[in-house]
Amino acid sequence: MQKQGIRRKALASAFPHTLPIFAGFWFLGMAYGIYMNVSGFSFWYPMLMSITVFGGSLEFVAVSMLLSSFAPLQTFIMALMIQARHLFYGIAMLDKYKGMGWKRFYLIFGMCDESFSINCTARIPKDVDKGWFMFFVTLLNQCYWVTGSTLGGILGSLFTFNTEGLDFVMTAMFVVIFLEQWLKEKRHYTALIGVAASVACLLIFGADSFLVPTMACILCMLAFLRKPIEKAGGLA
């Protein structure tokens, strides 16, 4: 009973922090589920992808990967590039995950941008178990995404409506991410590097093959120019 009380208190404390995530994840999750259905996949696909992959931008990109020819190396590189930021998230959370027992394995698997932000900055009450608080933040956020994408897949199969232009949701999502990064920066060096690398690789490799070289180029340039950019105040 005492352990159950600890869990309930941690859940009650974590839930309010995740409510804004719920609204965003349900909307994007349903759009993803409908997008997969429009692309010819049953609702099982977005549900299982959300449970096992749980990477919003990667899941959107995975739709085109599933429809294209078998290319495991390109798929691996693409997934690594898209989710590479989690390497830095993980390093930042090493101390926080100490002493979490079995919960740390799920915390590592389920960490997304939103869960990282909450678990890294939230002021956890002293009478709330930190490990269970972070566990429930991560679990709730994944549940929001899984239920949203599953519901979108079901609705897409039950109702017939005009879905023209729905595949633009992925483009819109990345545009919003780009604009948010632009607004966060004091100077726009990293954004300009991304645009320049994208245009150059598009001209060199063509529209069908430019994405992976672009992300590799951006990663190398940011790693090489990290100190000059930070020194010049290029990051917020």
Side-chain angles (χ1 to χ4, degrees):
M1 289 297 292
Q2 187 177 2
K3 288 185 178 180
Q4 290 180 356
I6 293 173
R7 293 180 194 136
R8 282 197 297 267
K9 184 176 288 188
L11 176 59
S13 181
F15 177 67
H17 289 273
T18 66
L19 282 176
I21 313 302
F22 167 73
F25 270 21
W26 251 48
F27 177 79
L28 276 176
M30 283 193 287
Y32 166 64
I34 296 172
Y35 177 41
M36 285 213 76
N37 180 265
V38 170
S39 301
F41 297 97
S42 169
F43 78 92
W44 289 101
Y45 282 86
M47 183 179 72
L48 292 176
M49 290 279 286
S50 299
I51 292 172
T52 57
V53 177
F54 189 40
S57 53
L58 179 59
E59 288 181 54
F60 275 98
V61 174
V63 178
S64 59
M65 292 180 181
L66 290 170
L67 294 172
S68 62
S69 57
F70 182 64
L73 181 59
Q74 184 177 357
T75 300
F76 172 78
I77 295 173
M78 178 73 73
L80 180 62
M81 293 296 179
I82 293 175
Q83 301 297 94
R85 66 189 184 280
H86 290 274
L87 295 172
F88 303 98
Y89 290 172
I91 292 172
M93 297 299 286
L94 282 175
D95 290 335
K96 287 183 175 289
Y97 287 170
K98 283 183 179 179
M100 296 295 177
W102 63 267
K103 291 189 288 295
R104 73 179 183 276
F105 296 107
Y106 176 69
L107 289 170
I108 293 169
F109 163 77
M111 184 168 58
C112 61
D113 298 355
E114 293 76 12
S115 296
F116 169 79
S117 179
I118 295 173
N119 287 334
C120 194
T121 61
R123 295 182 179 180
I124 305 173
K126 293 182 179 179
D127 59 341
V128 173
D129 184 273
K130 184 176 71 171
W132 282 111
F133 176 90
M134 292 194 290
F135 175 86
F136 282 121
V137 165
T138 306
L139 180 63
L140 287 168
N141 286 340
Q142 184 174 14
C143 287
Y144 301 151
W145 181 258
V146 172
T147 54
S149 59
T150 303
L151 183 60
I154 294 172
L155 292 175
S157 62
L158 292 179
F159 300 101
T160 302
F161 51 91
N162 185 10
T163 57
E164 184 179 356
L166 185 63
D167 53 350
F168 188 73
V169 68
M170 184 175 70
T171 304
M173 181 179 67
F174 283 114
V175 169
V176 170
I177 292 172
F178 174 81
L179 291 175
E180 286 182 348
Q181 185 64 29
W182 180 277
L183 293 173
K184 286 179 181 178
E185 288 183 328
K186 295 178 181 177
R187 298 178 182 176
H188 308 296
Y189 295 135
T190 57
L192 294 175
I193 287 172
V195 172
S198 300
V199 173
C201 289
L202 179 63
L203 295 174
I204 295 170
F205 297 100
D208 295 330
S209 307
F210 83 102
L211 194 53
V212 172
T214 297
M215 300 190 77
C217 184
I218 291 172
L219 185 62
C220 292
M221 291 179 69
L222 289 178
F224 181 74
L225 298 173
R226 177 183 173 184
K227 288 185 178 179
I229 291 174
E230 290 180 345
K231 186 176 180 180
L235 297 176

